[in-house]
Amino acid sequence: MLYDGALRFTADARDAIGRADIRSRQQCLSRALAIVSELQSTLDMESGGDVAAQLDKLYGFVHDRLMEAQLRQDIKALDEARRVLTTLREGWLAISRSTSAASQSAAR
């Protein structure tokens, strides 16, 4: 759900940039940044190992691109952040589906 929210807010920010709506752009990007910060702050770096370290780097990259979009009204930076968020969302969905299918098979 957090990825969905971040993607929705970044899409809304992209639209706001196109409309030159500074207030809306700022609000949407602030919300997207808050979500990314929450995702990053909940990583368990001790037990998460390499996966947590890589996610931390990706969230840092997304944060930087969102800040660039905020400061420079840079749609390219925003699109780069959205691509990473979309890939992460799809990855977690695939893991969820795989885990669900494995649980259903084990229950039979």
Side-chain angles (χ1 to χ4, degrees):
M1 290 187 333
L2 289 175
Y3 289 116
D4 290 338
L7 287 167
R8 184 179 71 247
F9 289 127
T10 55
D12 291 347
R14 193 178 201 290
D15 291 342
I17 290 172
R19 295 188 318 269
D21 184 344
I22 296 168
R23 175 177 280 164
S24 180
R25 180 197 78 220
Q26 190 275 331
Q27 289 173 343
C28 293
L29 287 174
S30 290
R31 289 179 176 167
L33 283 162
I35 290 170
V36 171
S37 292
E38 179 65 21
L39 288 166
Q40 193 168 25
S41 72
T42 59
L43 291 172
D44 184 347
M45 300 305 284
E46 285 185 30
S47 62
D50 189 48
V51 172
Q54 293 302 316
L55 285 170
D56 185 55
K57 289 179 184 177
L58 288 170
Y59 293 145
F61 173 80
V62 170
H63 180 274
D64 291 347
R65 301 317 294 152
L66 293 175
M67 289 300 296
E68 184 72 16
Q70 177 76 315
L71 295 172
R72 303 198 190 289
Q73 299 186 49
D74 186 345
I75 289 178
K76 181 181 174 188
L78 190 55
D79 288 344
E80 290 171 355
R82 288 182 51 76
R83 276 192 293 276
V84 172
L85 289 169
T86 298
T87 301
L88 289 170
R89 179 181 174 274
E90 290 170 356
W92 286 116
L93 282 174
I95 291 168
S96 175
R97 288 181 188 129
S98 174
T99 303
S100 177
S103 296
Q104 289 176 358
S105 294
R108 292 182 193 166

